Amino acid sequence: MVIFLVTVACTLIEGTFGRPDDFRFPADVAYALTGSGKASEPNFPLLRDFTSLLCGFLVVTGFALLHRNWHHVSTALTQLRESRTIVPRLVPRSNVFSRVLGIDRLLAGDEGTALDRLDHKFGGVTARTKLVLSGSVVVGSFIFATLLANGLSQNAFRVFAPRGVSAAEQAAWIETAKQNWWAGPEHPLGVVIYSVLAFLAMVLIFTFNVVGVLTVYFSVALYFAADLRADWYNRDGRFGWTPVARVYRTAYWALVVLGTAIAVLIAALGSSVPISVLGLILLYVLLAPVYTLVPWLCFRTVERAAKEARVAELSELLADVDERDLGQVQPLVAEFARTNAARIRPMRLRTVPFGAFATVVLLPIVLTGLQIFAQIGPGSR
C-alpha cells in the first residue's frame, strides 16, 4: 500500500498519473493481439501502463507470500514434533544422495541427536552466512534490475506502435512514447520509483529462491533424520501435516506469481527479450522442478510408512485382547478400517486443481519458446 501511494503521489506531482480514459487495457490488448483498431497516441501515463501496474501488484503480493512463507517455515518443525507427526531416528538414514548432498556430515553426531542437530543448524545461521547471502541477493538484484529496466524501456512500446508505416515512422513513434512514459527520462521521480520497484522485484525473486532452496534442502534432510508418521487424532484435517502443506502452498503460489510476471513480460517484449528476462526464465525452469518434484519425492511415502507403523501398533494391542470380547475388539476393528482408508497427502493442493496450477507454471516456458523460436505472440509483431 505504501509503494502504491508513493507511486501515485509522484505521478500526480509530475502530471503522469493519467485520466480515466487513459486506461486502455482492452483496446491495447486487442491491438497487440490482432492489430485491429487504430494505433493510439504515443502517450503512456501510469493508468495506461498495465504491465507496470500488474507487475507492481505481483511484487506486493510476492512480499506478502514471502512473509507468510518465512513464518510457516519457522514454526513447521516445532509443530510436527509436538504432534509426533515426525519421530527422531536413533540412526539417520544414509544413501548415495545423502552423502552427495552433505546431509550425512550435517547429521553426524551422537545417537538420537540428528533431528536436534538439523534444527540447530537451520535455526542458528551465522552472521557471516547471513551477510554473504544478503550481499549476493543485493548485488544480483541490482544487476538484473538494471538490465530489466533498460530492456523494458527499449522494447516495451513496440507492440503498440503503428503498423503499415515505415520503419522510421515506427521508430519515431516509439521514441515519443518513451518520452511520454510516466517512468521515462523526462520524469525523474517516475524513473526513481520504477527503478526501486524493479530492484524490489529482483530482491523478492532472489530472496524467495534462496529461502525456497534452503527449505527444500531441509525437507530432504528431514527425510533422513526422522521417521515420517501421522497424527492419528487428525486434529488439523491432514493427519498432522498441515505445517508442511502451508510451507509449500505459499511456495506454489510464489511460483504462480513469478510465472505470471514472466509471462506478462514476455508477451510485452516478444522476441526482443533482454538478458535479464532470459536469466529469470532460466532460473524459473531450473528451480520449478526443485520446488515441486523434490518435496513430493521426500513425502510421497508418508502415507505408506504412517499406515504401516499404525497397523503395527494396533496389532500389538489386538494381541492382548480376547477376540471373544466384542467390546474391546470392535473399536480396534474400526481403527484398522480408518487407518486403511486414511488419505495422507502432505503435498496435495486444496485451493486450486493441480491441472490449473501446472498450466500456470508451464505457461511462461511455453510462451517463451513460441515467442523466441516460432515468432508467435503479440510482442513478436
Side-chain angles (χ1 to χ4, degrees):
M1 181 59 70
V2 173
I3 295 175
F4 174 75
L5 293 177
V6 171
T7 303
V8 170
C10 290
T11 53
L12 287 174
I13 292 173
E14 294 188 325
T16 56
F17 181 75
R19 299 171 300 179
D21 57 353
D22 286 319
F23 185 78
R24 295 173 40 87
F25 177 65
D28 282 342
V29 170
Y31 185 79
L33 291 174
T34 66
S36 61
K38 187 178 180 181
S40 61
E41 293 296 321
N43 185 39
F44 285 86
L46 179 64
L47 284 181
R48 187 182 179 184
D49 190 358
F50 181 78
T51 300
S52 295
L53 290 174
L54 178 58
C55 288
F57 170 77
L58 293 177
V59 168
V60 175
T61 303
F63 273 107
L65 285 172
L66 179 60
H67 175 74
R68 291 187 63 183
N69 186 258
W70 274 344
H71 172 71
H72 294 325
V73 169
S74 66
T75 60
L77 184 60
T78 300
Q79 293 173 348
L80 292 172
R81 297 189 72 168
E82 287 178 348
S83 64
R84 293 193 60 78
T85 304
I86 60 172
V87 180
R89 291 179 62 88
L90 293 178
V91 179
R93 295 183 179 92
S94 179
N95 59 27
V96 63
F97 294 108
S98 64
R99 290 190 291 272
V100 170
L101 294 174
I103 294 175
D104 283 3
R105 185 171 60 256
L106 179 71
L107 302 180
D110 296 334
E111 187 177 90
T113 63
L115 189 57
D116 292 326
R117 290 177 62 81
L118 178 63
D119 190 15
H120 175 73
K121 287 288 187 181
F122 278 83
V125 180
T126 64
R128 179 180 178 182
T129 300
K130 291 180 181 178
L131 181 61
V132 171
L133 291 177
S134 300
S136 300
V137 167
V138 170
V139 172
S141 299
F142 177 78
I143 294 173
F144 269 73
T146 302
L147 294 173
L148 177 62
N150 290 337
L152 287 174
S153 66
Q154 294 298 320
N155 300 291
F157 305 105
R158 295 182 185 278
V159 69
F160 304 115
R163 297 166 191 176
V165 298
S166 66
E169 291 174 313
Q170 273 197 347
W173 188 96
I174 293 172
E175 187 60 33
T176 303
K178 292 179 187 177
Q179 299 299 322
N180 293 332
W181 182 33
W182 70 274
E186 299 297 321
H187 308 105
L189 290 179
V191 172
V192 172
I193 291 294
Y194 191 81
S195 300
V196 170
L197 286 175
F199 177 72
L200 289 177
M202 294 302 151
V203 167
L204 171 67
I205 291 171
F206 279 92
T207 303
F208 226 128
N209 281 294
V210 169
V211 174
V213 170
L214 290 176
T215 301
V216 171
Y217 185 83
F218 182 86
S219 300
V220 175
L222 183 65
Y223 170 82
F224 290 96
D227 286 322
L228 310 182
R229 296 290 185 256
D231 172 18
W232 289 105
Y233 293 109
N234 198 18
R235 287 167 286 193
D236 63 354
R238 281 183 177 264
F239 294 93
W241 286 99
T242 292
V244 171
R246 286 171 177 163
V247 169
Y248 284 101
R249 187 184 303 141
T250 53
Y252 290 161
W253 278 114
L255 279 178
V256 170
V257 168
L258 178 58
T260 302
I262 293 176
V264 170
L265 292 176
I266 295 169
L269 294 171
S271 57
S272 302
V273 180
I275 189 172
S276 57
V277 178
L278 290 176
L280 291 179
I281 295 168
L282 179 60
L283 185 67
Y284 185 83
V285 170
L286 292 176
L287 292 180
V290 173
Y291 299 144
T292 53
L293 180 61
V294 175
W296 175 80
L297 290 173
C298 292
F299 297 114
R300 67 188 177 91
T301 61
V302 165
E303 181 177 305
R304 176 176 56 81
K307 286 184 176 181
E308 289 177 353
R310 184 61 170 172
V311 167
E313 292 174 358
L314 295 174
S315 298
E316 289 181 6
L317 293 175
L318 186 62
D320 297 329
V321 172
D322 184 354
E323 294 182 359
R324 294 170 295 181
D325 187 346
L326 296 181
Q328 290 185 308
V329 171
Q330 285 181 345
L332 289 174
V333 171
E335 187 61 20
F336 273 114
R338 186 177 79 97
T339 299
N340 290 325
R343 292 293 175 263
I344 307 173
R345 301 286 192 273
M347 308 305 298
R348 182 167 65 91
L349 293 172
R350 285 183 174 178
T351 52
V352 293
F354 180 77
F357 168 74
T359 300
V360 175
V361 169
L362 293 175
L363 177 62
I365 301 173
V366 175
L367 185 57
T368 300
L370 292 175
Q371 290 277 58
I372 296 177
F373 300 107
Q375 298 292 301
I376 296 174
S380 299
R381 293 178 178 274

